[in-house]
Amino acid sequence: VVLLVLSLFSWTIILTKFRQLQIARKTAKKFFDAYASTRDPLDIKKRGEEFDGAPAYALYERGADEMAYQLEKNPMTVKGERRLSTSSFEAVKVVLEEAAAAQAMALEKGMIVLSTAVAGGPFIGLLGTVWGVMSTFAGIAESNSASLTAMAPGVAAALVATVTGLLVAIPAMFAYNFMVTSIRAITQELYGFASRY
């Protein structure tokens, strides 16, 4: 029952996280193309374009809001143009770093379930197997019949727990490794974008 519940949780995480990462990659590509096509950092916001699902766009929104606020409340005028002051620039930088960290945490949400399935699934299965073998031996001791035909069904049933544990852990392991690599790449992209924004 524990393995079944763990399997349901891990498959739910696998499917939703695959979808989330797929959308994040696709919309991030569109967002970066749109961002690269302009020299004005606030241009995308002014045009009202949206790239929902892209972590970099969420970071951009936070940064654009803070930049607009700082240009309005704390501007510095250079040759008749409003610019960010040094303190305003630092405020925008802090907001971008916070937004990048928040997006990284959102991407990693639920990964602990997969990690638990990878590490715990085989051990829970092994516990079930050992428990089943102990029960089989206890039953044989009570019946005073130590034959192969008396032991085989109990041991075979006990091994089902190990197989179930592995069936939970193996897909979770492949999904976890793939997703961690994808999340790491997106996170590096986020921090790179925050530094050059």
Side-chain angles (χ1 to χ4, degrees):
V1 170
V2 171
L3 287 172
L4 178 64
V5 170
L6 188 58
S7 179
L8 289 174
F9 274 120
S10 64
W11 275 105
T12 302
I13 296 294
I14 288 169
L15 295 175
T16 55
K17 194 59 71 175
F18 267 128
R19 181 86 177 118
Q20 180 189 12
L21 292 174
Q22 183 181 28
I23 290 170
R25 279 194 301 268
K26 186 188 292 184
T27 53
K29 185 178 183 326
K30 291 178 185 174
F31 168 71
F32 285 128
D33 289 344
Y35 186 80
S37 70
T38 180
R39 302 282 297 169
D40 180 5
L42 296 176
D43 194 39
I44 292 173
K45 188 164 181 65
K46 289 173 187 171
R47 290 191 312 236
E49 291 183 69
E50 293 186 2
F51 300 90
D52 293 330
Y57 174 70
L59 187 145
Y60 169 81
E61 272 192 309
R62 291 278 311 276
D65 289 343
E66 183 65 22
M67 188 180 286
Y69 173 81
Q70 292 296 334
L71 282 172
E72 183 183 326
K73 301 292 183 187
N74 192 17
M76 180 175 76
T77 307
V78 177
K79 294 181 183 178
E81 289 186 24
R82 290 171 13 145
R83 305 264 178 170
L84 287 177
S85 65
T86 305
S87 62
S88 297
F89 179 76
E90 289 300 319
V92 172
K93 188 176 172 184
V94 167
V95 166
L96 288 172
E97 288 171 359
E98 287 174 355
Q103 289 301 311
M105 291 296 290
L107 286 169
E108 291 176 13
K109 187 177 180 182
M111 294 300 288
I112 190 70
V113 174
L114 292 184
S115 176
T116 303
V118 169
F123 285 111
I124 295 169
L126 184 61
L127 175 66
T129 297
V130 171
W131 193 283
V133 169
M134 283 173 34
S135 298
T136 300
F137 285 142
I140 289 170
E142 285 178 16
S143 66
N144 290 326
S145 169
S147 67
L148 185 60
T149 54
M151 288 176 55
V155 171
L159 289 172
V160 168
T162 299
V163 171
T164 306
L166 291 172
L167 288 175
V168 169
I170 290 170
M173 178 190 67
F174 285 115
Y176 179 81
N177 288 334
F178 172 78
M179 289 182 201
V180 162
T181 304
S182 297
I183 289 169
R184 189 176 297 133
I186 293 171
T187 303
Q188 291 299 318
E189 196 174 59
L190 273 177
Y191 285 113
F193 177 67
S195 66
R196 71 177 183 269
Y197 186 99

